[in-house]
Amino acid sequence: KLNGIYVRSLEFKTPGEFTQADVEPIRAQLQGPEWSQMVDVDSKTDKEKVSIYIKTSGDRTLGMVILAEEPTELTFVDLDGPINPDDLNGLSGNFGIPKGIHARPKKTVTPQPSPETTVKK
């Protein structure tokens, strides 16, 4: 159902060749009423940062952007069109989308009895 998958990946020889000031114009385009940030992971130990933004209109998802920053690599992925966040599992590691980008597994909720209905022996 996607209109397109657009990937831009920039590799640098040494860490520090790009700064947050360089990335800020990209983030600025992802502001506004139709965009919301779903994920923001900033790993100090791995020196990696991943942000996922989703574009919606009403209850429809119209697109998703993944921005992955590493010390020597910057990757921007634009999934243009309707997409369910659960579909990320099938895209992770493909089309330039970084490996390890997965939707959180759905938890099954087991109903707990309320204190009023618990029978004590």
Side-chain angles (χ1 to χ4, degrees), residues 27 37-42 49-53 67 69:
R27 291 185 192 282
Q37 189 172 26
M38 272 183 28
V39 175
D40 190 29
V41 177
D42 192 356
K49 182 173 181 152
V50 176
S51 300
I52 300 176
Y53 299 84
L67 186 58
E69 303 171 49

Side-chain angles (χ1 to χ4, degrees), residues 38 52 84-90 92 100-106:
M38 272 183 28
I52 300 176
N84 184 326
D86 294 335
D87 294 338
L88 280 177
N89 294 336
S92 179
I101 304 289
H102 298 288
R104 193 178 290 170
K106 291 183 180 178

Side-chain angles (χ1 to χ4, degrees), residues 5-75:
I5 299 174
Y6 306 95
V7 179
R8 298 289 182 260
S9 187
L10 305 168
E11 293 186 31
F12 302 90
K13 290 183 181 179
T14 57
E17 287 189 55
F18 72 92
T19 66
Q20 289 303 307
D22 297 320
V23 180
E24 195 53 41
I26 297 170
R27 291 185 192 282
Q29 294 179 44
L30 302 170
Q31 304 301 313
E34 70 258 351
W35 286 102
S36 60
Q37 189 172 26
M38 272 183 28
V39 175
D40 190 29
V41 177
D42 192 356
S43 173
K44 302 291 184 202
T45 55
D46 297 332
K47 297 181 182 174
E48 296 177 351
K49 182 173 181 152
V50 176
S51 300
I52 300 176
Y53 299 84
I54 190 164
K55 183 178 184 180
T56 58
S57 176
D59 61 348
R60 294 183 22 222
T61 301
L62 302 177
M64 187 177 297
V65 168
I66 302 166
L67 186 58
E69 303 171 49
E70 297 178 28
T72 59
E73 188 172 349
L74 177 63
T75 303

